[in-house]
Amino acid sequence: MDQLVRVIPDTYFDSVVLMGAAAKAKARDGVSEAAAFMGTTANKALLVTAGFPEDSFTTAGAGDVILALMVTPEVGEAVMADVVDGLLGASRASDEGERTIEHRSLTGALRTIARHGETADLAVISLPGQYVETQAMLALKRGLNTFIFSDNVPLDSEVRLKEEAVRRGLLCMGPDCGTAWIGGLGIGFTNEVPRGSIGIISAAGTGLQAVACGLANGGEGISHGIGVGGRDLSREVGARMTLLALTMLDADPLTEAIVIVSKPPAPETLVVLEEALTRIRKPVVVACLGAAERVTDHATWVSTLSDAVEVTLAMRQGRERSTATFGNPAAVDAALASTVVGKGPLLGLFTGGTLAHEAELILADALGPVSYGDEDALARGEHAILDLGDDQYTQGRPHPMIDPQPRADRIVEMGTSAGVILLDLVLGRNSHPDPSAPVVEAIATLRARLGEATPPIVASVTGTPQDAQSRPRQEAALVDAGCVVLPDNAQAARFAARLLTEGNAR
Amino acid sequence: MKDQPTAPSILSTSVQHVVSLGVDMFADELEQQGASVTRVAWRPPVEIAENAYRLLGALED
């Protein structure tokens, strides 16, 4: 393999464009590795770690693009030329298209908007983390709410931004916020859900999607879904945005009930949250993954996303909450009886972090220790869950909700050692247009390799029938491929656990 | 820049106009839902120290 490096000076593309170009190159014959980055110090360090010679890009800066390929000599130069042409061609098309970008700064954009008699009230920010505070602070000071998708924003920046937002009564959603709904407008990774009267506050993107979709599939709509970022309930951030969102939803006339989705808060923050809940007049359900279930005067605390959905639906529909572990026990028993389980441990390959965490909690309860995020655990015979959306898998690569191929590759590579495979599919805006397709292909490959010894594959689909990918269509494709599909992630995890403890061993 | 007074909650007014800095796919999806979106072709500051970048932000203020 040759190592080819090319620097395109004084050119900027956002990370999604660059990762798309790299993924396209990597799919070509003869290419074993492909990377496309802006020349930041962190990105250059990644290339050095990947084994590319430092002197080939040492002069590149943050305003230059670096392209790096590990490629066979026969096709190397041709692939590199195509990558360069593809990027620069896309840039030219964008410049010449009807969508013209006039503004080089937030201030200039706001000036133009004001000249047209309009008022901007939301900034969507997806910049490299080190530049976020300056832009987000400027937006807040100009009276804009902020949705910050970027990760790698320093914690002290987040605290300063949220202090400023609270002072102004503005939302600072994120950093690392993937999903929000304000009114009917979905921001980031969102699903087609109806407008309604339930407000959701969530420290997790897929958690927010799972609860909103669960409510939608149960006949309820949402008023707003406010992402607060994964660190909001930490000791340092102190739930600043959760508390503001809670107050805003309590005052919002469209919102009749509130659901909070979170990881277990820091102990000091839990006290602050519990105290804040005493002042809320509307019913509140808190889905705090892993926490003990309890009912207080001010909130119902549950430990899974699906329980949050069920408790909220029951409350809205004036019925008792169902405590059944499966929506259709007869179908589960039938599936259990007809499925043959392999000898290995469970392998969970997830694209949604909150769904992975929820599955881990359920499986650990049923099966004992489950390794989380350890690539080698399966080979040691341990049950293993991998969150493929975690930072360790997404540096320089698209998130698996955008590009599901790396997960499909792992189904083939790791599936041979698994007794049961557990998967999630997350649909909606900005996600892959047909996420079941690579999974189905991977299952076919695995089946061709293992035949009867192919492990059972259990899955759930987070989405709605109205999503462009269509939840029923995705579920049908998985069922046709031989998967057992459960209505939600918690039920899928419980079913996978039952397969291992009660299933028919091969 | 003069700081803006505290705005009415965005929950009561719904989103009026979005300014998008960064990844285009988010702006595209917002436009497809009918939102008014203005894009900023943000570029990383080249060869200037982080402190100078912060200073620029303050000057823009």
Side-chain angles (χ1 to χ4, degrees), chain A residues 233-235 262-271 273 288 291 301:
Chain A
L233 292 156
S234 66
R235 182 178 61 79
S262 83
K263 292 179 279 190
E268 307 90 326
T269 310
L270 178 61
V271 174
L273 178 61
C288 190
W301 295 68

Side-chain angles (χ1 to χ4, degrees), chain A residues 385-401:
Chain A
I385 289 187
L386 301 180
D387 167 17
L388 300 174
D390 190 64
D391 290 350
Q392 65 173 307
Y393 300 107
T394 55
Q395 287 199 334
R397 294 176 191 280
H399 191 281
M401 279 161 56

